Amino acid sequence: MSWKGLFVVFLIGSTMVSYGQSNILNAKNPDEIGKPTEAQTENVVNDEPLEYGYVEDRDVLWSKNVWEVIDLDERVNFPLYYPVDNTIGNNRRSLYDVLIKAIEDGKIKRIYADSYFTEERKLNDVEATLSRVDTTDLGIEQYNAGEEVDRQFIDRRDLSAADIAEYHIRGMWYFDKRQAELKYRILGIAPVAPDVNFIDSDNPDMVELFWVWFPDAREVLHENLAFGDSNSAQKITFDHLLNARRFNAVIYKAENVQGDREVNEYVVDNAFMQLLESERIKEQIRNMEQDMWNY
């Protein structure tokens, strides 16, 4: 067996040890569910996300940045969306709740306004996109009369995991000439939801709430498990799920000479042709690896 095969076996074995048991069968009370047993704690040597290997710039023979949309209405993408109800347990969270809680706790510090990561933001800067506070007419009358506005006349609407419609991700495909293979690396991820100020209208605009620098979020994503329908005993972390591309996505933009214009800017008002253009870009990327071996 090659060293790659041994590594895969070790990785699968460590995953089974780390996440295969939730201690539900041995728990003496509900508080012990989800906590590792003493034996599991001793077996887990290194429960950290697998480090990215260092890539020399001169080893990158070819690369291309692409932006993709992950539609959460698709069944294969459900593990990123559900659960939207947090009352079913502390160890079950949607990806949006994981990101928001980590940002609030200061575990994720690098959030940005766009996918080019040029304008850094803080949680206070993005709160306007996450919630809306409005005052009813009766509340305005109280305010104009110099009285304290009663809380019942203040209408607050916060975005929740149920409001997230899709995710945008930016990544780079590159050909590593040292290992002679095509690889992919996620650079950023952004939750997308209806504009909170018009969320109750018929067709609200979709907005990117914020962009997270993905390497900064890997440790948090590794600590949280995504749910899989096939086997509850075999869990997968959000970090593994995203890095392994266990989701379906459509390219909506690729770097190009026209200022990285989006597909819908040059294929207008035709969703089917836009999808075909996305597939053409994917095929072009896949063919790059095959073309490297043609003389």
Side-chain angles (χ1 to χ4, degrees):
M1 182 181 293
S2 65
W3 67 270
K4 289 185 177 180
L6 290 173
F7 176 78
V8 171
V9 172
F10 172 78
L11 182 62
I12 294 174
S14 62
T15 304
M16 293 176 63
V17 171
S18 301
Y19 307 111
Q21 300 292 330
S22 60
N23 202 34
I24 191 171
L25 300 179
N26 301 315
K28 295 181 173 60
N29 57 71
D31 294 336
E32 296 180 1
I33 296 177
K35 295 181 180 180
T37 63
E38 184 177 350
Q40 289 173 332
T41 304
E42 292 176 355
N43 288 332
V44 176
V45 179
N46 183 18
D47 190 16
E48 295 181 356
L50 186 65
E51 282 191 37
Y52 290 145
Y54 180 75
V55 181
E56 285 276 1
D57 288 341
R58 60 184 179 182
D59 290 334
V60 179
L61 193 62
W62 173 90
S63 68
K64 191 176 189 66
N65 281 278
V66 295
W67 288 256
E68 298 172 276
V69 55
I70 302 175
D71 188 352
L72 297 182
D73 278 339
E74 297 186 37
R75 181 177 293 275
V76 69
N77 298 329
F78 279 0
L80 298 174
Y81 179 71
Y82 289 103
V84 295
D85 184 3
N86 293 333
T87 62
I88 63 175
N90 293 328
N91 60 337
R92 294 280 301 278
R93 288 289 183 272
S94 68
L95 177 59
Y96 176 73
D97 285 332
V98 169
L99 293 175
I100 284 294
K101 188 176 186 305
I103 293 172
E104 292 174 347
D105 295 342
K107 295 181 178 180
I108 296 178
K109 299 178 181 179
R110 294 178 176 85
I111 58 176
Y112 297 85
D114 55 38
S115 61
Y116 293 97
F117 312 110
T118 56
E119 185 179 348
E120 192 168 355
R121 294 288 181 88
K122 302 296 182 184
L123 181 60
N124 294 336
D125 300 328
V126 300
E127 282 183 347
T129 62
L130 302 179
S131 61
R132 179 196 67 198
V133 180
D134 199 5
T135 306
T136 63
D137 293 338
L138 292 177
I140 294 175
E141 291 179 6
Q142 283 186 331
Y143 179 79
N144 293 335
E147 302 175 2
E148 183 180 354
V149 179
D150 196 305
R151 185 171 296 180
Q152 65 178 325
F153 300 136
I154 298 177
D155 182 20
R156 182 181 180 90
R157 176 70 161 87
D158 295 320
L159 289 178
S160 66
D163 299 314
I164 306 302
E166 57 194 31
Y167 283 95
H168 288 176
I169 58 171
R170 177 190 172 185
M172 187 174 81
W173 289 95
Y174 64 97
F175 188 85
D176 189 337
K177 68 178 184 179
R178 183 179 294 273
Q179 299 188 18
E181 62 179 327
L182 186 68
K183 295 184 178 181
Y184 176 77
R185 182 79 59 85
I186 297 181
L187 300 177
I189 185 169
V192 180
D195 190 334
V196 69
N197 297 305
F198 306 98
I199 194 171
D200 297 323
S201 61
D202 292 334
N203 294 304
D205 293 332
M206 305 299 290
V207 296
E208 296 171 346
L209 303 181
F210 51 83
W211 276 89
V212 173
W213 177 245
F214 189 78
D216 186 46
R218 289 196 64 208
E219 186 172 346
V220 171
L221 297 178
H222 177 76
E223 295 171 355
N224 292 271
L225 301 176
F227 182 78
D229 287 334
S230 58
N231 187 355
S232 297
Q234 300 297 322
K235 305 291 185 181
I236 181 173
T237 67
F238 283 113
D239 178 66
H240 186 187
L241 186 148
L242 291 169
N243 277 300
R245 292 188 62 87
R246 293 177 59 170
F247 55 82
N248 185 53
V250 175
I251 294 176
Y252 70 90
K253 181 169 70 170
E255 59 179 351
N256 52 65
V257 70
Q258 293 90 359
D260 296 350
R261 63 176 179 172
E262 298 185 10
V263 170
N264 59 12
E265 293 179 10
Y266 61 92
V267 182
V268 184
D269 296 333
N270 192 325
F272 178 69
M273 293 304 296
Q274 290 172 5
L275 184 60
L276 290 181
E277 174 64 10
S278 172
E279 291 299 318
R280 184 193 69 81
I281 297 173
K282 283 185 181 180
E283 190 67 21
Q284 185 182 44
I285 294 172
R286 285 194 294 261
N287 287 341
M288 280 303 303
E289 186 175 21
Q290 300 296 326
D291 293 342
M292 291 294 178
W293 307 107
N294 293 332
Y295 297 93

